[in-house]
Amino acid sequence: MPKITRKSALLAILLVCLLFLPPFNGFLRQGMFLVEDYFDDRPEQSALFIGNSRTFYHNMPAMVRTIADSAGYTKKLHIEMAANPGVSLGFHLKNEHTQELLSQKWDHVVLQVLSSDQYSAEQSPQAWQDATNLIRQVQDHGSIPAMFVTWRYTDRCVKNAGMPTAEAKAFAPSGYANMHTNIQEQHARLAALTGVDLVNVGLVWEALQSQPLRFSLYDDCNHPSIYGSYLSALMFYSYFSGNDVKNVTFKPDEISSEDAEMLKQAVSRDGQTNASK
């Protein structure tokens, strides 16, 4: 029997602990899905998420799969993600890895516009042209594109934490409501132009913001908390499955049963998906 040294034992313990930390536990979850899928004979439904931090926070796409399984969804969701911090859809148009993924056949491809490209109607018109080009590319490959419609920035945070550096000094709190309006208008225009589906998380998010909440949907001025990511994941499960979220039993450990129920009710009541399918 090989001798186990104190150093190797400590290293093994450290590696196991790392796997369960937030930056790494998504990889562990993906590995568990691979094992489960080997014995899972449900028909497969595939989805590719393309975006940035608002997509990958709390490994939201993998959470969609867990939600679907907890609700007894009849299909096996195979989900992959191409999401890098602070990158635009223009980056993904040129990125070799993203383009390799896009060359594969997916049932759904979800696109998320960089938040700082959505501040106003005049801000980054190229972003919307890039979105149009990606939508056309997805359609040409025979997949269904969908836009992850996100949320405005908030002034209920500390020292502009999480804000894009260049914009942090220029953005005034009075403009945040206008940012929500612009996000909605630009995505509606994009849907009218291309026929892309809209998974309108931002609309439900804004409705919740008008209510007294025991929790925050924001982690900082920009990114989602675990509550915000759970809300997004519920919306995508509803979109992919066509089912109401009332049968979902999974919730992250950080979220109480009462708060999870409130988020599910909000999705059932206010969730809007402009879908062409």
mmCIF file of all heavy atoms in Angstrom, residues 239-262:
data_model
loop_
_atom_site.group_PDB
_atom_site.id
_atom_site.type_symbol
_atom_site.label_atom_id
_atom_site.label_comp_id
_atom_site.label_asym_id
_atom_site.label_seq_id
_atom_site.Cartn_x
_atom_site.Cartn_y
_atom_site.Cartn_z
ATOM 1 N N TYR A 239 -38.887 28.932 -20.041
ATOM 2 C CA TYR A 239 -38.757 29.132 -21.489
ATOM 3 C C TYR A 239 -38.434 27.835 -22.218
ATOM 4 O O TYR A 239 -39.082 27.477 -23.213
ATOM 5 C CB TYR A 239 -37.674 30.175 -21.767
ATOM 6 C CG TYR A 239 -37.265 30.253 -23.216
ATOM 7 C CD1 TYR A 239 -38.158 30.715 -24.184
ATOM 8 C CD2 TYR A 239 -35.999 29.845 -23.629
ATOM 9 C CE1 TYR A 239 -37.789 30.770 -25.524
ATOM 10 C CE2 TYR A 239 -35.626 29.907 -24.959
ATOM 11 C CZ TYR A 239 -36.527 30.364 -25.901
ATOM 12 O OH TYR A 239 -36.167 30.409 -27.222
ATOM 13 N N PHE A 240 -37.435 27.100 -21.740
ATOM 14 C CA PHE A 240 -37.031 25.870 -22.419
ATOM 15 C C PHE A 240 -38.120 24.803 -22.380
ATOM 16 O O PHE A 240 -38.313 24.057 -23.339
ATOM 17 C CB PHE A 240 -35.762 25.294 -21.777
ATOM 18 C CG PHE A 240 -34.529 26.118 -21.977
ATOM 19 C CD1 PHE A 240 -33.562 26.183 -20.988
ATOM 20 C CD2 PHE A 240 -34.317 26.827 -23.150
ATOM 21 C CE1 PHE A 240 -32.402 26.939 -21.164
ATOM 22 C CE2 PHE A 240 -33.166 27.592 -23.338
ATOM 23 C CZ PHE A 240 -32.209 27.647 -22.335
ATOM 24 N N SER A 241 -38.834 24.729 -21.273
ATOM 25 C CA SER A 241 -39.797 23.642 -21.073
ATOM 26 C C SER A 241 -41.212 24.004 -21.497
ATOM 27 O O SER A 241 -42.013 23.130 -21.836
ATOM 28 C CB SER A 241 -39.823 23.226 -19.598
ATOM 29 O OG SER A 241 -40.353 24.276 -18.788
ATOM 30 N N GLY A 242 -41.543 25.309 -21.445
ATOM 31 C CA GLY A 242 -42.921 25.714 -21.660
ATOM 32 C C GLY A 242 -43.796 25.454 -20.452
ATOM 33 O O GLY A 242 -45.026 25.578 -20.515
ATOM 34 N N ASN A 243 -43.179 25.100 -19.325
ATOM 35 C CA ASN A 243 -43.914 24.764 -18.107
ATOM 36 C C ASN A 243 -43.896 25.911 -17.104
ATOM 37 O O ASN A 243 -42.977 26.732 -17.091
ATOM 38 C CB ASN A 243 -43.299 23.532 -17.435
ATOM 39 C CG ASN A 243 -43.387 22.296 -18.297
ATOM 40 O OD1 ASN A 243 -44.257 22.182 -19.169
ATOM 41 N ND2 ASN A 243 -42.488 21.347 -18.083
ATOM 42 N N ASP A 244 -44.914 25.929 -16.255
ATOM 43 C CA ASP A 244 -44.911 26.841 -15.124
ATOM 44 C C ASP A 244 -43.862 26.361 -14.120
ATOM 45 O O ASP A 244 -43.508 25.186 -14.102
ATOM 46 C CB ASP A 244 -46.305 26.856 -14.473
ATOM 47 C CG ASP A 244 -46.462 28.000 -13.498
ATOM 48 O OD1 ASP A 244 -46.024 27.852 -12.342
ATOM 49 O OD2 ASP A 244 -47.024 29.040 -13.886
ATOM 50 N N VAL A 245 -43.375 27.270 -13.298
ATOM 51 C CA VAL A 245 -42.319 26.905 -12.351
ATOM 52 C C VAL A 245 -42.868 26.429 -11.007
ATOM 53 O O VAL A 245 -42.101 26.176 -10.079
ATOM 54 C CB VAL A 245 -41.365 28.098 -12.117
ATOM 55 C CG1 VAL A 245 -40.667 28.487 -13.408
ATOM 56 C CG2 VAL A 245 -42.098 29.301 -11.519
ATOM 57 N N LYS A 246 -44.176 26.280 -10.890
ATOM 58 C CA LYS A 246 -44.763 25.923 -9.592
ATOM 59 C C LYS A 246 -44.326 24.550 -9.104
ATOM 60 O O LYS A 246 -44.346 24.285 -7.899
ATOM 61 C CB LYS A 246 -46.294 25.993 -9.670
ATOM 62 C CG LYS A 246 -46.910 25.030 -10.674
ATOM 63 C CD LYS A 246 -48.418 25.212 -10.757
ATOM 64 C CE LYS A 246 -49.041 24.260 -11.786
ATOM 65 N NZ LYS A 246 -50.499 24.469 -11.899
ATOM 66 N N ASN A 247 -43.921 23.660 -10.028
ATOM 67 C CA ASN A 247 -43.498 22.318 -9.617
ATOM 68 C C ASN A 247 -42.012 22.228 -9.305
ATOM 69 O O ASN A 247 -41.510 21.147 -8.973
ATOM 70 C CB ASN A 247 -43.843 21.307 -10.707
ATOM 71 C CG ASN A 247 -45.338 21.123 -10.873
ATOM 72 O OD1 ASN A 247 -46.087 21.218 -9.903
ATOM 73 N ND2 ASN A 247 -45.783 20.869 -12.089
ATOM 74 N N VAL A 248 -41.299 23.333 -9.412
ATOM 75 C CA VAL A 248 -39.864 23.341 -9.101
ATOM 76 C C VAL A 248 -39.665 23.165 -7.600
ATOM 77 O O VAL A 248 -40.273 23.872 -6.800
ATOM 78 C CB VAL A 248 -39.212 24.657 -9.568
ATOM 79 C CG1 VAL A 248 -37.771 24.763 -9.063
ATOM 80 C CG2 VAL A 248 -39.263 24.767 -11.088
ATOM 81 N N THR A 249 -38.823 22.209 -7.227
ATOM 82 C CA THR A 249 -38.542 21.985 -5.806
ATOM 83 C C THR A 249 -37.140 22.413 -5.410
ATOM 84 O O THR A 249 -36.871 22.629 -4.231
ATOM 85 C CB THR A 249 -38.721 20.500 -5.438
ATOM 86 O OG1 THR A 249 -37.832 19.706 -6.247
ATOM 87 C CG2 THR A 249 -40.164 20.050 -5.681
ATOM 88 N N PHE A 250 -36.242 22.563 -6.388
ATOM 89 C CA PHE A 250 -34.870 22.982 -6.057
ATOM 90 C C PHE A 250 -34.824 24.457 -5.693
ATOM 91 O O PHE A 250 -35.474 25.296 -6.317
ATOM 92 C CB PHE A 250 -33.926 22.740 -7.233
ATOM 93 C CG PHE A 250 -32.599 23.430 -7.067
ATOM 94 C CD1 PHE A 250 -31.620 22.889 -6.237
ATOM 95 C CD2 PHE A 250 -32.324 24.642 -7.700
ATOM 96 C CE1 PHE A 250 -30.398 23.540 -6.048
ATOM 97 C CE2 PHE A 250 -31.105 25.293 -7.532
ATOM 98 C CZ PHE A 250 -30.142 24.733 -6.703
ATOM 99 N N LYS A 251 -34.014 24.759 -4.693
ATOM 100 C CA LYS A 251 -33.662 26.137 -4.360
ATOM 101 C C LYS A 251 -32.227 26.110 -3.840
ATOM 102 O O LYS A 251 -31.810 25.151 -3.193
ATOM 103 C CB LYS A 251 -34.599 26.735 -3.322
ATOM 104 C CG LYS A 251 -34.487 26.084 -1.952
ATOM 105 C CD LYS A 251 -35.275 26.830 -0.898
ATOM 106 C CE LYS A 251 -35.011 26.244 0.488
ATOM 107 N NZ LYS A 251 -33.578 26.379 0.913
ATOM 108 N N PRO A 252 -31.447 27.148 -4.113
ATOM 109 C CA PRO A 252 -30.107 27.222 -3.514
ATOM 110 C C PRO A 252 -30.203 27.252 -1.995
ATOM 111 O O PRO A 252 -31.171 27.771 -1.435
ATOM 112 C CB PRO A 252 -29.553 28.550 -4.069
ATOM 113 C CG PRO A 252 -30.327 28.787 -5.327
ATOM 114 C CD PRO A 252 -31.710 28.253 -5.050
ATOM 115 N N ASP A 253 -29.201 26.714 -1.329
ATOM 116 C CA ASP A 253 -29.211 26.642 0.128
ATOM 117 C C ASP A 253 -29.320 28.020 0.776
ATOM 118 O O ASP A 253 -29.877 28.153 1.873
ATOM 119 C CB ASP A 253 -27.935 25.958 0.632
ATOM 120 C CG ASP A 253 -27.893 24.481 0.266
ATOM 121 O OD1 ASP A 253 -28.967 23.900 0.014
ATOM 122 O OD2 ASP A 253 -26.782 23.917 0.226
ATOM 123 N N GLU A 254 -28.785 29.048 0.085
ATOM 124 C CA GLU A 254 -28.789 30.394 0.672
ATOM 125 C C GLU A 254 -30.167 31.040 0.672
ATOM 126 O O GLU A 254 -30.366 32.071 1.320
ATOM 127 C CB GLU A 254 -27.828 31.304 -0.101
ATOM 128 C CG GLU A 254 -26.392 30.822 -0.134
ATOM 129 C CD GLU A 254 -26.083 29.955 -1.348
ATOM 130 O OE1 GLU A 254 -26.999 29.243 -1.825
ATOM 131 O OE2 GLU A 254 -24.933 29.983 -1.804
ATOM 132 N N ILE A 255 -31.116 30.472 -0.044
ATOM 133 C CA ILE A 255 -32.443 31.069 -0.199
ATOM 134 C C ILE A 255 -33.454 30.299 0.650
ATOM 135 O O ILE A 255 -33.536 29.072 0.572
ATOM 136 C CB ILE A 255 -32.868 31.060 -1.679
ATOM 137 C CG1 ILE A 255 -31.878 31.879 -2.518
ATOM 138 C CG2 ILE A 255 -34.282 31.613 -1.838
ATOM 139 C CD1 ILE A 255 -32.206 31.909 -3.999
ATOM 140 N N SER A 256 -34.230 31.020 1.436
ATOM 141 C CA SER A 256 -35.240 30.369 2.272
ATOM 142 C C SER A 256 -36.386 29.858 1.407
ATOM 143 O O SER A 256 -36.581 30.298 0.271
ATOM 144 C CB SER A 256 -35.787 31.359 3.307
ATOM 145 O OG SER A 256 -36.571 32.363 2.676
ATOM 146 N N SER A 257 -37.150 28.940 1.944
ATOM 147 C CA SER A 257 -38.299 28.394 1.213
ATOM 148 C C SER A 257 -39.306 29.491 0.894
ATOM 149 O O SER A 257 -39.900 29.507 -0.192
ATOM 150 C CB SER A 257 -38.976 27.300 2.045
ATOM 151 O OG SER A 257 -38.089 26.222 2.263
ATOM 152 N N GLU A 258 -39.491 30.431 1.833
ATOM 153 C CA GLU A 258 -40.444 31.519 1.615
ATOM 154 C C GLU A 258 -39.994 32.436 0.473
ATOM 155 O O GLU A 258 -40.803 32.834 -0.375
ATOM 156 C CB GLU A 258 -40.604 32.335 2.898
ATOM 157 C CG GLU A 258 -41.255 31.595 4.056
ATOM 158 C CD GLU A 258 -40.322 30.615 4.763
ATOM 159 O OE1 GLU A 258 -39.097 30.694 4.536
ATOM 160 O OE2 GLU A 258 -40.830 29.771 5.528
ATOM 161 N N ASP A 259 -38.716 32.764 0.449
ATOM 162 C CA ASP A 259 -38.210 33.643 -0.594
ATOM 163 C C ASP A 259 -38.194 32.937 -1.954
ATOM 164 O O ASP A 259 -38.478 33.559 -2.989
ATOM 165 C CB ASP A 259 -36.810 34.137 -0.250
ATOM 166 C CG ASP A 259 -36.813 35.101 0.932
ATOM 167 O OD1 ASP A 259 -37.887 35.664 1.218
ATOM 168 O OD2 ASP A 259 -35.752 35.279 1.559
ATOM 169 N N ALA A 260 -37.881 31.646 -1.957
ATOM 170 C CA ALA A 260 -37.917 30.883 -3.214
ATOM 171 C C ALA A 260 -39.333 30.847 -3.770
ATOM 172 O O ALA A 260 -39.548 30.999 -4.986
ATOM 173 C CB ALA A 260 -37.403 29.463 -2.987
ATOM 174 N N GLU A 261 -40.311 30.703 -2.886
ATOM 175 C CA GLU A 261 -41.706 30.682 -3.325
ATOM 176 C C GLU A 261 -42.110 32.037 -3.893
ATOM 177 O O GLU A 261 -42.842 32.113 -4.890
ATOM 178 C CB GLU A 261 -42.607 30.302 -2.151
ATOM 179 C CG GLU A 261 -44.052 30.025 -2.539
ATOM 180 C CD GLU A 261 -44.198 28.876 -3.519
ATOM 181 O OE1 GLU A 261 -43.400 27.913 -3.454
ATOM 182 O OE2 GLU A 261 -45.117 28.932 -4.379
ATOM 183 N N MET A 262 -41.633 33.103 -3.279
ATOM 184 C CA MET A 262 -41.945 34.439 -3.773
ATOM 185 C C MET A 262 -41.382 34.635 -5.187
ATOM 186 O O MET A 262 -42.058 35.186 -6.066
ATOM 187 C CB MET A 262 -41.361 35.496 -2.834
ATOM 188 C CG MET A 262 -41.639 36.923 -3.274
ATOM 189 S SD MET A 262 -40.860 38.130 -2.165
ATOM 190 C CE MET A 262 -41.541 39.660 -2.814
#
